[in-house]
Each structure stands twice: as C-alpha cells, then as structure tokens.
C-alpha cells in the first residue's frame, strides 16, 4: 500500500543539483568505448581455470572517478555448463555480496578439457568471449569494448546478434522479451508509488538474463547488489548489452544451456532451488487495504461462503495495527479476543489467516513493545555514519529499521513473532506478508526533522469510522460449506554515496529518495549504498526463520514485495501495487513469467483485479480467470478503490467459480510441478518458446503461457471483446473442457464467443494429466476427492505424466506417494511407489483423447471390461473408461 494521494516530491538541495550537473556535464561527451581498457599479464593456469593481472593499457579515462591501474582476473570452469569470471581490486577489499545472504554454489565436475562453453581471451587490449563448444558460436564478446573499472563505476559491454532475444533483468513491467533497440534496465529496488510504470526500476533486483537463439539458449548472471543500468542498444546495425554498475566487483556466471529449461535449472543451482510451499497456499486468497475492523473481515469470509466461491485464506493489511505500529493490534477495532475467535473459526473450517508485517518499527517508547525490546538489546537498528539510530518516516510516523546484518536481529525478530503470533495467547497466523521492504520511507530528503515531517504528512493516519460494537457475534461459523458444483568491516573507496558520479536511471529523485539513505551503516560496517537491494531478501530470511521457530517442522508461507536473486529459495512474491486497468492486466503475465520462469521465484502473482483505481465488472471477471493460473492467486486492492471481492458482481462470481473449478482439478498436477521445481529448478510456468525453442513466432509471445509444461493458457486480453487470436505451435492441442482437438500449424487461430466467465485453456499433446474428479470449497476438502486420468496423446500417439503426493505441510516428508504414467500403442501403464497413506482415494476413470472411433475392446490388467464401463464420445473423439482402481495400485489399461 502506498501514499498515493500525497505528493512526495523530493526537494534536492541546490548545491547537490549543481554538483551533479557539473559531473554530468564533464562526462556527457566522454566516449567510454575510446578508453584504454587493460592488458592481461601474468596469465597462468589454475585447476579448472586461469588467473591473470589486468594492467591499465594507456592514459586513464577517469570518466566517473579514477581508473584502477591494476586488477585481478579469475576464471573458473565450475561445472561443464558454468563458467565463473571474477574481476576485483587485488590491493584493497571491495564490497561483494555477502555469502550469508547469497551462498555461493559449489564447484563440481568442471573440466577445462570437456566443457560445453569455453572462455577465450585476447591479451592486448584485454577482451574475452564465451563460446558454445557444440556450435562454436560466440555467446558473450567484449571485443572492441574496453573494460572500465573505477571506485564507483564499473563497465562491461558485449556485442549481441541483431534483433537479439533477451529476457530477464527484473523487476520490470516491460514486455517479456526486452526490445533490443533502446532499453535501459535500472536495478535499484524502489517503492513504485502510483502504480508500476513501464520502463522503470521497481521493487526487486534480479541481474540475470537469458538470451535465446534458434541454436540454443544461454544465461548470464552478474552477482552484484549495487545499483546499475543495463543498456540494450542497436546503433548502426550493431546490437550490444552494456553494464554500468556503481560499486562492488564484477562477478559473472555464464550458463551454457542449451535448452531454455536447462538454463533455468543451471541458474537454480546458483541462486538456490525454490522452496516447497504448503498445499493450501494454492487456494484463493482474499485481502483489502481498508477493512475497517475485525467484523468486516469476518463478514467477507461469510460472504464468500454465501456466494459459493471457494476461499482458502483470509488476509488483513496494516489496518489491524494500533496507530500503524508493527506487532500491535488496535484494541477497539481489532481486539485480541475477537481476532483469536475469528482465526479459530477459520481453522475449524479448514481455512487460513495471514497478516501483514512491515519492517519499520515506530519510535514510540512505552507504546511500541517492539521498539522497546529492540532498544533493550542495545539497538538493533541501522545507524547514521555518526553511530546514532537512522530515523525516517513510514506509516506509524517516526521509525527505525532493523539491521539484518546485526547478529542480534534474527533472535529479536523471532521473539516478536513468537510473542505477537503465539497460538495460545496471540493471533495464530498461518503465514506472513511482508511489505515496504525495499526499504520504503516517506520522509523528505534530507529528513532533518522526522517528527515535524510526520505531523505535516498526518502520520499515523487517523481512523475514519467508529469501532464495532463489542457484542457483535462473528458471522463465520466453524464449518466450511460444500460446493454445490559472517563479513568483516570493509573500507570503501567511494567518494560520494549519496550522489555518485554516475547517476543510474532511478525513477525516484536520487538513490536515497523514499528509502533509507545510502550512507546508513550496518553493524558489520557495510553501508546501505552496497546492500540496499538485499534488504527485502534479508527480511524474508529472518521472517522465514521466525515462522519455522513458531511451527517447527512445517513449511512456511511468506509473500514479500522486494527480492534479490535467490529469494525464491525462501519466499514467494507478489508483483506490487498495480492499477485496475487492462494494461496492467496484460503486464501481469510477463511479470509472473519473469519470476517463475527466469528468476526462480515460482510462487508469484499479481493483485487480481488491480490494487489502485476502480476495477470494472468485465475486467475483474477476466482477471479472476487469469488469476486462477497464477501460482499465487489473491484478490487485493486499496482503500481508495471500490470493493472488489469476487462476490460483488454476478459475472465475476461465476468467473471465479469456473476458474477455481479448473484450478482445483489441476491442483495436484501443479503441486507435482512445484515439487519438481524444488528438486531441480524446472520452471512451473513457461513461455511458449521454452517448449518450442525453434519456433521464432513464439519468441515475443507474452500474453499466452504454459501452466506447468502441458497446460496452454490463452486469456482474453482486450476490453469488451469475446474473441481472441490464439497462437498454436506446430503440435496437437485439446480443449480442457470439451476435449476438442486443434492441430496447430505454427499460426494463430481465432476463437470466438468466449464468455466473460471463461478462459481458453488447452492441453498440450503428450501428457497424462492426473485430475481431481471435482472441485471443493477448501484444499482440505479437495485432498479427499478421487482422481481421473486424462490421456492427451501427441502426434506419435504417446503421452506421459506423473503425480506426487505428500502431507502438504511438512518440510521433511517421512513418506511420499509417486505415480508414473506412460501411454503408447493404445496402452496406458500406471506405476506407483511410496508408502504415504492416501486413504481410500481411487482412480475413477481414464479418459483418452483424440480417439477417432470407438474401441472394440478394453482390458484392465488383462481382463476385458464390460461395455457398460466404456463410453465413447463421437463429438469430442474421446473415450472414458471406468477403472475404479485404488490410488496405490499399479495397473495396465489396453484397448483395441
């Protein structure tokens, strides 16, 4: 949530403006490509790599500071598919992303004699290239572009193919495929006030890109948390990608691929495999900034039940807090006894509850226990350069921020969660929602008087409605309805961390605008200039630790706004404060593809129906159906917008019911995909080119996507239309509901009469889908539903699939269940293993699609079935066979 109605204009000091102007004027005409670069000397081999000195090759450019005269280069073949290149200052320790925040991957089996990519270099002037062994094509090439390495400016530039296909470098709301002509991707985490505009830096920093060619895909990851511009340019027919980084070191990882999924897996090996999440987290979530009191929250739960729309988890924004102080509840509006009663009722119904937690702690001695306890530990807050607490401004007024590098902070944070969310005496939440952790701040720079600024901005805001009567009974009930259908202090050589000589294209006024100032110091001596982009991910780690202490052995569920590379190993992500319009509806697809397909943060989704401004019935209906194919599915909006719970319009309510029905029937297929992602990094959502890498028509498609590897989702993306042009690659597809066959020819097909309550969904040929036979109101109910198998053969008549089941909540599983399905030659084999107790669950039916005529005979484990067990549909060309086999059984179904 944001101060969207306030004009937070940063009044920069005139002297600062003048100084920045002088720097820009001095460097505006410098041709960095004409700088001398470096020569490689003292080159020698090491195990699986080489080392060299890089010596300045001529007169220094000193474009944004003094050029380093000597650098150190290390190149390591860490695996056959990964090269690690590192350029540092050999004389002084420069900032690097701490291992405690981003653990480095281990090297194994790398061998310079048989890698899939190679490092090549030229000594004078030094340049390097990365080449693919199988094709000898150049993947990254700095020839003609000198290296620049200065205290606050690092520059590396590579040539690219014409019309290059570049994806990544998030977070952004650009198209999924970045335009190679003139794109600047700025990485500096920012509270994007007023929506999430295209072409700007947003909440997260993921400095990795995939480049795709018809010959293969490769990846490039720069492990650096400093602010940077990454520029894609096409000049005189030549395309390039240029890094402009304002600190740290050059720490590159080059990934061989060669398939898109291979690159995703290789990046997961560096950034960390995605966390497994609870089964229940895939249900529908409901939230709103602006629920006035506990009764209004409870009434929303009751209204979903009355509307027969499955609701899994209810959320509450900062409205519950007393004067917006974290780890408090307002005793009049959200009294503890009523909150505990509401959560108890939700749990009795098989539903969950989540509350927001912000990082900023209000400076209210004697009122904020969280502040007092932090002070009692000697102050666990970030500091000014003089050692005093850095104070800024957020919702509660004057605030301080936890210093996640302080060794006392994790225990402090765990204790706050233990006290406030104690199951016996507090509010027994099932997960956490962490926000404002870029970190965001409201104080006007230079913020010399936060108290006066709090008064002028009216913080904390006053309540605008009377409290509910203390005698109100909760309208929920206790039964869910059934559906009727370690780092040493470092010195740095920075001259100006508040206004560095190279100004990245930050959409805020300067690096410290609306955030903690860049000269703030952490307990280990690191400064916010270097670590700013890590704050949200470090808060995520601390929150995960706190939740694991609350419920030992159980998976956590955390949704954050700000992330850095590797965050997906701990938390999920929502795409921030979007707008209720069709442009942001469309942008949400590319946004979630970026996180789920590239950045290894698979639990991702947008605010369904939009956060700011007023949605419409048709927009919300379409978004309800699209949202059902987001991994994280939540309806959420702001206090200045109209209420938009799904039950408020008949069309939206029906759209939600229809979409959730499909989502729940597919949920175990998707849960299996998430488990596979946790094992090896296979993306749970994929753009079409991941599965059709040689089809050039797919490279720019970001309004269709694959849910798992086998469900093609093609939402209607324009207002007031009921038709859409869907691209079908050269493959066979089956309509999810009617089973009608579409033989794709690498062309678009027009679909018409798509009701506002529907979304086009197709099954990609070649899969055996394990589906629940029907939906349910909660995932707890769903887990008791039987299965059916839908066999969708490819053009060769083959299909395969799998099913994974566990208890859905435990971090370590004592027992699991796995099934493998293979179909070929009109024969389906089901093989099961594992000892997880699936109870009395059964496979009820097997449906085979694309069958041109009724089978003459069907046998189960060699025994011919009665004709009454077989039903052929001549319209959909499908056959349904009643098998009624225990889920634990292995069996063979064959037909002629």
């Amino acid at each position: 949530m944001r101060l969207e109605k306030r004009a937070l204009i940063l009044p920069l000091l005139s002297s600062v403006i003048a100084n920045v102007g002088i720097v820009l004027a001095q460097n505006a005409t410098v041709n960095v490509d004409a700088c001398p670069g470096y020569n490689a000397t003292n080159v020698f081999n090491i195990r699986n790599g080489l080392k060299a000195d890089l010596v300045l090759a001529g007169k220094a450019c000193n474009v944004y500071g003094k050029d380093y005269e000597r650098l150190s280069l290390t190149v390591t073949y860490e695996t056959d598919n990964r090269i690690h290149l590192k350029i540092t200052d050999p004389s002084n320790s420069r900032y690097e992303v701490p291992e405690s925040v981003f653990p480095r991957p281990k090297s194994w089996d790398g061998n310079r004699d048989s890698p899939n990519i190679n490092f090549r270099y030229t000594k004078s002037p030094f340049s390097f290239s990365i080449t693919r062994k199988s094709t000898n094509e150049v993947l990254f090439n700095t020839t003609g572009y000198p290296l620049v390495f200065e205290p606050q400016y690092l520059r590396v530039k590579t040539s690219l193919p014409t019309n290059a296909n570049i994806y990544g470098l998030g977070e952004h709301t650009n198209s999924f495929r970045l335009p190679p002509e003139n794109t600047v991707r700025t990485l500096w985490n920012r509270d994007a006030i007023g929506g999430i505009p295209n072409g700007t830096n947003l909440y997260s920093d993921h400095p990795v890109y995939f480049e795709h060619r018809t010959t293969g895909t490769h990846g490039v990851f720069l492990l650096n948390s400093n602010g940077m511009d990454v520029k894609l340019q096409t000049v005189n027919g030549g395309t390039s990608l240029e890094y402009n980084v304002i600190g740290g070191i050059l720490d590159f990882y080059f990934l061989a691929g060669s398939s898109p999924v291979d690159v995703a897996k290789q990046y997961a090996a560096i950034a960390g495999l995605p966390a497994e999440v609870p089964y229940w987290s895939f249900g529908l979530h409901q939230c709103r900034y602006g629920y006035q009191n506990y009764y209004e929250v409870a009434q929303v739960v009751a209204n979903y039940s009355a509307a027969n729309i499955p609701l899994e988890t209810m959320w509450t924004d900062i409205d519950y807090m007393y004067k917006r102080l974290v780890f408090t509840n307002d005793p009049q509006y959200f009294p503890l006894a009523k909150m505990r009663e509401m959560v108890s009722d939700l749990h009795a119904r098989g539903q969950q509850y989540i509350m927001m937690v912000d990082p900023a702690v209000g400076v209210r001695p004697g009122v904020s226990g969280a502040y007092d306890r932090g002070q009692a530990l000697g102050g666990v807050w970030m500091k000014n350069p003089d050692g005093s607490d850095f104070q800024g401004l957020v919702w509660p007024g004057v605030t301080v921020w936890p210093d996640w590098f302080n060794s006392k902070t994790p225990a402090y944070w765990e204790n706050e969660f233990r006290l406030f969310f104690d199951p016996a005496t507090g509010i027994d939440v099932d997960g956490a929602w962490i926000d404002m952790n870029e970190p965001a701040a409201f104080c006007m720079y230079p913020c010399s008087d936060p108290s006066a600024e709090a008064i002028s901005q009216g913080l904390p805001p006053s309540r605008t409605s009377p409290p509910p009567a203390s005698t109100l009974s909760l309208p929920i009930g206790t039964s869910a309805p059934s559906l009727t259908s370690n780092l040493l202090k470092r010195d740095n050589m920075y001259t100006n961390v508040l206004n560095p000589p190279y100004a990245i294209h930050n959409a805020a006024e300067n690096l410290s605008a609306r955030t903690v100032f860049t000269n703030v110091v952490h307990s280990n001596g690191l400064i916010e200039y270097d670590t700013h982009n890590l704050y949200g991910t470090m808060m995520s780690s601390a929150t995960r630790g706190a939740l694991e202490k609350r419920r030992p052995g159980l998976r956590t569920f955390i949704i954050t706004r700000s992330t850095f590379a590797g965050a997906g190993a701990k938390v999920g992500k929502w795409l921030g404060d979007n707008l209720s319009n069709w442009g942001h509806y469309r942008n949400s697809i590319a946004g979630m593809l970026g996180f789920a397909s590239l950045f290894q943060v698979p639990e991702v989704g947008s605010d369904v129906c939009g956060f700011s401004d007023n949605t419409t019935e048709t927009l919300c209906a379409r978004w309800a159906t699209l949202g059902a194919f987001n991994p994280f599915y939540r309806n959420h909006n702001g206090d200045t917008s109209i209420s938009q719970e799904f039950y408020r319009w008949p069309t939206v309510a029906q759209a939600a019911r229809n979409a959730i029905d499909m989502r729940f029937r597919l949920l175990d297929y998707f849960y299996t995909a998430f488990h596979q992602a946790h094992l090896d990094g296979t993306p749970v959502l994929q753009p079409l080119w991941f599965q059709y890498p040689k089809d050039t028509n797919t490279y720019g498609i970001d309004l269709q996507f694959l849910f798992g590897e086998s469900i093609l989702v093609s939402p209607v993306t324009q207002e007031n239309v009921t038709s859409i042009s869907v691209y079908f690659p050269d493959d066979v597809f089956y309509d999810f509901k009617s089973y009608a066959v579409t033989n794709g020819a690498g062309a678009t097909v027009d679909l018409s009469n798509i009701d506002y309550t529907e979304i086009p969904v197709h099954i990609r040929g070649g899969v055996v889908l394990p589906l629940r036979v029907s939906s349910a109101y909660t995932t707890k109910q769903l887990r008791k539903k039987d299965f059916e198998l839908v066999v969708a053969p490819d053009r060769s008549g083959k299909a395969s699939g799998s099913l994974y089941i566990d208890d859905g909540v435990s971090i370590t599983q004592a027992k699991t269940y796995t099934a493998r399905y293979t179909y070929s030659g009109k024969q389906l084999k089901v093989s099961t293993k594992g000892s997880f107790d699936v109870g009395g669950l059964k496979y009820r039916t097997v449906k085979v699609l694309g069958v041109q005529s009724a089978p003459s005979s069907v046998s189960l484990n060699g025994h011919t079935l009665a004709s009454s067990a077989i039903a052929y549909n001549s319209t959909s060309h499908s056959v349904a066979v009643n098998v009624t086999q225990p889920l634990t059984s292995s069996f063979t179904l064959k037909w002629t």
Side-chain angles (χ1 to χ4, degrees):
M1 82 288 317
R2 294 294 160 266
L3 290 171
E4 294 181 336
K5 305 185 89 174
R6 297 181 173 92
L8 296 180
I9 301 172
L10 189 65
L12 294 177
L13 298 176
S14 59
S15 60
V16 172
I17 296 174
N19 288 337
V20 172
I22 291 171
V23 171
L24 294 176
Q26 288 175 340
N27 296 297
T29 60
V30 173
N31 179 8
V32 182
D33 287 343
C35 288
Y38 292 80
N39 292 330
T41 64
N42 301 324
V43 181
F44 62 95
N45 291 332
I46 59 173
R47 182 182 179 274
N48 294 341
L50 62 83
K51 282 182 175 286
D53 293 331
L54 302 180
V55 180
L56 196 64
K59 182 181 178 181
C61 271
N62 297 334
V63 59
Y64 294 108
K66 186 178 180 180
D67 288 343
Y68 280 78
E69 294 185 0
R70 184 178 293 270
L71 301 169
S72 176
L73 166 72
T74 304
V75 178
T76 308
Y77 288 74
E78 292 191 335
T79 75
D80 289 345
N81 293 306
R82 185 173 79 225
I83 291 175
H84 185 192
L85 181 149
K86 196 170 182 178
I87 298 176
T88 62
D89 174 10
S91 302
N92 296 283
S93 179
R94 285 178 62 88
Y95 167 76
E96 302 178 30
V97 177
E99 286 258 7
S100 60
V101 181
F102 192 97
R104 304 306 192 265
K106 295 181 178 179
S107 300
W108 74 96
D109 296 334
N111 192 321
R112 291 185 63 195
D113 297 327
S114 58
N116 292 316
I117 50 175
N118 285 300
F119 171 81
R120 305 185 188 282
Y121 69 96
T122 299
K123 284 188 175 182
S124 180
F126 170 73
S127 65
F128 72 90
S129 62
I130 304 295
T131 60
R132 188 184 303 284
K133 182 179 180 181
S134 61
T135 61
N136 205 35
E137 62 186 317
V138 178
L139 308 181
F140 194 96
N141 184 12
T142 69
T143 301
Y145 303 124
L147 169 68
V148 179
F149 201 112
E150 298 170 354
Q152 289 180 264
Y153 181 69
L154 286 63
R155 184 261 202 174
V156 173
K157 187 174 181 180
T158 176
S159 56
L160 293 174
T162 302
N163 202 31
N165 300 299
I166 303 293
Y167 309 84
L169 302 171
E171 180 181 7
H172 60 77
T173 52
N174 296 43
S175 57
F176 187 54
R177 176 183 178 269
L178 294 171
E181 295 81 18
N182 186 24
T183 295
V184 179
R185 286 295 315 117
T186 298
L187 304 184
W188 182 256
N189 295 354
R190 179 179 73 94
D191 175 8
I193 293 175
I196 44 178
N198 297 108
T200 67
N201 52 309
L202 299 176
Y203 311 103
S204 298
D205 175 12
H206 292 271
V208 60
Y209 74 82
F210 289 26
E211 185 195 339
H212 179 65
R213 308 175 185 180
T214 56
T215 53
T217 312
H218 65 276
V220 180
F221 172 50
L222 174 58
L223 179 52
N224 183 300
S225 63
N226 289 83
M228 69 179 75
D229 285 339
V230 185
K231 299 179 179 180
L232 278 165
Q233 295 177 308
T234 300
V235 178
N236 298 325
T239 303
S240 63
L241 183 147
E242 179 183 78
Y243 293 91
N244 299 266
V245 190
I246 61 173
I249 66 168
L250 296 174
D251 197 355
F252 281 102
Y253 292 86
F254 297 96
L255 308 176
S258 63
S259 78
V261 173
D262 287 339
V263 179
K265 292 179 178 180
Q266 291 158 13
Y267 180 62
I270 302 172
L273 293 164
E276 283 199 290
V277 294
Y279 187 90
W280 59 259
S281 68
F282 295 115
L284 172 65
H285 303 256
Q286 175 61 50
C287 186
R288 174 174 165 83
Y289 173 40
Y291 288 140
Q292 298 297 308
N293 53 66
Y294 76 90
Y295 190 83
E296 187 175 354
V297 174
Q299 189 64 59
V300 169
V301 177
N303 291 346
Y304 266 95
S305 295
N308 202 32
I309 302 172
L311 176 66
E312 186 73 23
T313 306
M314 191 66 202
W315 295 47
T316 305
D317 210 309
I318 61 172
D319 308 283
Y320 75 87
M321 299 178 184
Y322 175 67
K323 295 191 179 299
R324 299 296 194 259
L325 294 167
V326 68
F327 300 118
T328 69
N329 60 284
D330 191 304
Q332 289 185 294
Y333 292 81
F334 293 85
L336 181 59
K338 289 294 186 181
M339 294 294 287
R340 285 180 51 78
E341 181 185 352
M342 181 177 68
V343 174
S344 177
D345 287 353
L346 286 168
H347 288 168
R349 292 158 53 97
Q351 293 170 299
Q352 283 71 231
Y353 185 60
I354 288 176
M355 301 168 76
M356 175 178 280
V357 177
D358 283 345
V361 177
V363 181
R364 295 290 299 275
V367 178
S368 170
Y371 177 74
D372 293 341
R373 287 184 287 272
Q375 287 293 92
L377 290 172
V380 292
W381 325 119
M382 293 197 284
K383 306 293 185 182
N384 289 308
D386 64 3
S388 62
D389 293 342
F390 173 81
Q391 293 189 352
L393 205 64
V394 195
W395 294 110
V398 180
T399 58
V400 288
W401 281 264
D403 177 3
W404 306 116
F405 285 105
N406 189 315
S407 61
K408 298 178 182 179
T409 302
Y412 160 76
W413 200 245
E414 289 170 6
N415 188 54
E416 294 306 313
F417 269 75
R418 180 184 64 82
L419 293 172
F420 189 67
F421 298 121
D422 189 299
T425 60
I427 303 172
D428 188 16
V429 294
D430 299 280
W433 175 21
I434 53 179
D435 188 18
M436 306 291 286
N437 52 355
E438 292 72 34
F442 301 155
C443 198
M444 300 288 191
Y445 183 87
C447 198
S448 56
D449 191 346
S451 296
E453 191 67 35
I455 294 172
S456 70
Q457 293 193 27
L459 296 172
S462 300
R463 297 279 184 181
T464 58
S465 64
S470 60
T471 56
L472 286 176
S473 297
L474 292 177
I476 301 178
T478 57
S479 298
S482 299
L483 288 185
T484 60
S485 71
N486 305 324
L487 198 62
L488 298 177
K489 180 176 180 180
R490 298 174 183 267
D491 294 325
N492 63 71
M493 301 184 69
Y494 304 150
T495 57
N496 190 340
V497 297
L498 291 173
N499 293 283
Y502 177 84
I504 62 174
H505 290 63
N506 182 19
E509 291 82 354
N510 65 22
L511 295 185
S512 295
R514 304 185 185 113
T515 188
V516 170
F517 296 172
T518 49
N519 64 348
V520 162
V521 182
H522 294 276
S523 65
N524 58 358
L526 296 179
I527 59 174
E528 193 67 2
Y529 180 84
D530 289 321
T531 66
H532 167 86
N533 286 345
L534 303 178
Y535 194 87
T537 291
M538 295 187 72
M539 181 187 183
S540 298
S541 297
T543 302
R544 181 180 176 90
L547 288 178
E548 287 178 343
K549 288 289 182 67
R550 282 187 70 247
R551 293 180 174 180
L554 298 186
R555 297 173 188 167
T556 63
F557 180 68
I558 303 165
I559 295 295
T560 184
R561 189 171 71 176
S562 182
T563 59
F564 181 71
K570 299 178 176 65
V571 295
K573 149 83 180 171
W574 103 99
L575 297 175
D577 297 339
N578 57 0
L579 303 180
S580 296
N581 64 45
W582 288 89
H584 282 219
Y585 166 91
R586 290 187 289 269
N587 290 343
S588 71
I589 302 172
M592 69 175 179
L593 283 176
F595 279 90
S597 305
L598 308 180
F599 306 149
Q600 290 294 337
V601 187
E603 184 69 357
V604 61
S606 65
D607 282 347
V608 172
C609 300
F611 175 79
S612 294
D613 298 337
N614 292 330
T615 193
T616 65
E617 182 173 3
T618 54
L619 173 61
C620 200
R622 290 295 189 205
W623 217 326
T625 63
L626 171 60
F629 293 92
N630 286 211
F632 174 52
Y633 184 23
R634 183 183 70 169
N635 182 331
H636 174 54
N637 74 327
D639 61 337
T640 60
S641 306
I642 62 172
S643 297
Q644 63 182 34
E645 292 85 2
F646 288 156
Y647 53 75
R648 296 197 176 267
W649 302 272
T651 303
V652 178
Q654 190 58 48
R657 295 185 199 106
N658 293 346
I660 293 170
D661 178 83
M662 282 193 288
R663 180 181 178 91
F664 271 24
R665 293 187 63 218
L666 281 162
L667 200 57
D668 293 86
Y669 155 81
F670 201 48
Y671 187 76
T672 300
F674 255 80
H675 178 66
Q676 192 62 43
H678 175 69
L679 294 178
D680 66 7
T682 300
V684 300
L685 296 183
Q686 297 182 19
L688 270 64
W689 58 270
F690 267 43
Q691 291 300 319
Y692 302 95
K694 293 188 181 299
D695 184 348
T696 58
N697 294 324
T698 66
Y699 297 172
I701 293 177
D702 57 10
L703 297 180
Q704 297 175 249
F705 60 95
L706 292 166
F707 185 73
E709 293 187 342
S710 301
I711 298 297
L712 175 63
V713 183
S714 307
V716 176
T717 57
Q718 298 295 326
E719 185 174 12
N720 296 328
V721 300
T722 57
S723 61
I724 187 174
S725 293
V726 175
Y727 183 79
F728 287 104
D730 187 9
D731 206 343
V732 62
F733 296 86
Y734 305 85
D735 184 274
F736 182 78
K737 289 188 173 181
S738 72
Y739 303 143
V741 179
T742 297
N743 277 300
T748 58
V749 175
D750 292 334
L751 304 181
S752 58
N753 299 319
I754 304 167
D755 193 88
Y756 287 102
T757 64
E758 301 293 342
I759 182 172
V761 176
H762 291 82
I763 304 168
R764 181 170 165 255
V767 66
V768 179
L769 287 176
L771 304 179
R772 297 284 181 172
V773 294
S774 63
S775 185
Y777 193 80
T778 66
T779 58
K780 186 175 182 179
Q781 294 175 351
L782 184 67
R783 288 174 66 88
K784 299 176 182 178
K785 300 283 186 178
D786 287 335
F787 284 85
E788 65 178 7
L789 296 178
V790 175
V791 181
D794 61 18
R795 285 174 173 164
S796 66
K798 298 179 179 180
S800 62
S802 63
L803 173 64
Y804 170 80
I805 299 177
D806 58 21
D807 69 13
V809 293
S810 299
I811 295 174
T812 302
Q813 295 290 334
K815 299 177 180 180
T816 63
Y817 165 93
T818 303
R820 303 288 179 188
Y821 315 116
T822 56
Y823 178 81
S824 180
K826 300 182 180 181
Q827 178 176 279
L828 172 68
K829 289 186 177 181
V830 176
S831 302
T832 65
K833 66 177 182 179
S835 56
F836 178 76
D837 184 6
V838 297
L841 292 179
K842 295 179 174 59
Y843 292 109
R844 287 290 179 187
T845 59
V846 172
K847 296 178 180 177
V848 183
L849 311 186
V851 180
Q852 297 306 308
S853 59
S856 59
S857 176
V858 179
S859 65
L860 177 63
N861 293 329
H863 301 286
T864 302
L865 295 176
S867 59
S868 60
I870 306 161
Y872 177 72
N873 188 315
S874 59
T875 302
S876 64
H877 298 290
S878 63
V879 60
V881 181
N882 185 349
V883 294
T884 314
Q885 291 292 299
L887 207 66
T888 53
S889 67
S890 297
F891 62 90
T892 299
L893 187 72
K894 189 173 183 179
W895 59 279
T896 57

